Amino acid sequence: MRYFIKLAYNGTNYHGWQTQPNAVSVQETLEKALSLLLKNKIEIVAAGRTDSGVHAKEMFAHFDFEEAIDSDYWIPKLNSYLPKDIVIYSIFEVNSEAHARFDAIERTYEYHIHSTKDVFINELSWYHFYPLNLEKMNQAAKILLEYTDFECFSKVNTDVFTFNCKIKNAFWQQNENQLVFTITADRFLRNMVRAIVGTMINIGQGKIEPEQLRIIIESKNRSQAGFSAPAHGLYLTQILYPYSTE
């Protein structure tokens, strides 16, 4: 039987989602917990791979297991065993062909910035104290919706077959000293959101004008775009599927 897991994690102490040699990852930590408690070797496939230090308020993953799983019993047990920065919200059976990564039709990320020094959120938001022009940043955000090829925002030497992404919405919102960038698309390239944010910061600071974003995108050249914003301000916040995940 195939099961979906809905979970969240604070990525501060992890070298991203994906298992890798000589580094602690969310995937490895979760697989070890499931394998130990279910007394079977469990391998999980996630909806996506977050980079080192990136957080997820909502992540889905799937795994196969031969027996029926009582979620009311196993969720508290798993959460008590897992470290404090990973939480399981639900475990539910799905169709045997369901796939956490390939079936996802939409993903949403948020990037969090705070403009006043706050010692309590330093690992969860990027402290950026230079004044930013929110109106110009939102003008640039609208331009993103006009394009589909975002090679200029992709990590170089990546193994993807296409740089096309369909961005559904992108906008900045400010609440006192908190600034949040929200972006939704069918898929994202590696480092894409952080590269977009870095470019938007340059626009907000007046280093480049919003319309110059078109030149950057059409160049398909990563060196033309802005810097990559720090990982700790980035959150995966929502993943949508064509079927219920409640």
Side-chain angles (χ1 to χ4, degrees), residues 20-234:
Q20 52 195 292
N22 305 316
V24 180
S25 70
V26 179
Q27 180 183 11
E28 176 190 21
T29 304
L30 185 54
E31 284 181 346
K32 283 182 176 179
L34 284 166
S35 297
L36 179 68
L37 295 178
L38 296 178
K39 297 179 180 176
N40 277 269
K41 181 174 175 55
I42 302 295
E43 296 180 350
I44 56 180
V45 176
R49 296 177 291 180
T50 53
D51 290 336
S52 180
V54 175
H55 317 292
K57 291 184 177 181
E58 180 176 274
M59 172 66 89
F60 287 95
H62 77 251
F63 69 94
D64 296 328
F65 189 59
E66 293 182 355
E67 301 174 22
I69 290 179
D70 181 351
S71 60
D72 290 337
Y73 173 80
W74 283 111
I75 290 173
K77 207 168 182 64
L78 269 169
N79 281 329
S80 65
Y81 183 81
L82 287 165
K84 61 183 179 181
D85 45 17
I86 301 176
V87 59
I88 306 297
Y89 292 129
S90 60
I91 303 174
F92 51 96
E93 187 178 354
V94 293
N95 185 287
S96 61
E97 300 299 316
H99 198 285
R101 180 183 175 189
F102 297 141
D103 289 357
I105 57 175
E106 191 174 285
R107 297 164 172 84
T108 299
Y109 280 89
E110 289 180 359
Y111 194 91
H112 291 230
I113 295 173
H114 58 290
S115 57
T116 302
K117 190 172 183 179
D118 188 334
V119 297
F120 298 106
I121 60 172
N122 279 334
E123 294 179 345
L124 302 172
S125 176
W126 179 32
Y127 176 40
H128 185 277
F129 52 85
Y130 291 105
L132 296 170
N133 187 320
L134 191 63
E135 183 179 351
K136 286 190 174 182
M137 291 162 71
N138 268 322
Q139 287 176 19
K142 289 179 181 177
I143 291 173
L144 291 172
L145 277 61
E146 300 175 21
Y147 292 87
T148 55
D149 188 327
F150 295 102
E151 185 174 357
C152 70
F153 296 128
S154 174
K155 193 177 179 102
V156 295
N157 299 322
T158 187
D159 58 354
V160 298
F161 295 105
T162 174
F163 295 98
N164 287 352
C165 307
K166 294 179 182 177
I167 297 179
K168 181 178 180 180
N169 59 50
F171 58 90
W172 291 86
Q173 288 180 305
Q174 185 158 13
N175 181 17
E176 296 181 350
N177 71 325
Q178 298 288 316
L179 191 60
V180 178
F181 177 59
T182 303
I183 184 167
T184 301
D186 61 338
R187 64 189 288 265
F188 287 91
L189 306 169
R190 286 199 64 189
N191 203 56
M192 178 175 167
V193 180
R194 292 165 60 194
I196 289 174
V197 170
T199 306
M200 295 277 187
I201 293 299
N202 287 340
I203 291 169
Q205 288 184 222
K207 294 180 179 179
I208 58 174
E209 290 300 312
E211 284 298 315
Q212 288 180 259
L213 183 59
R214 299 183 192 278
I215 298 171
I216 292 170
I217 295 172
E218 290 168 14
S219 77
K220 301 184 180 182
N221 188 335
R222 178 65 185 90
S223 65
Q224 295 296 310
F227 64 96
S228 181
H232 64 274
L234 183 60

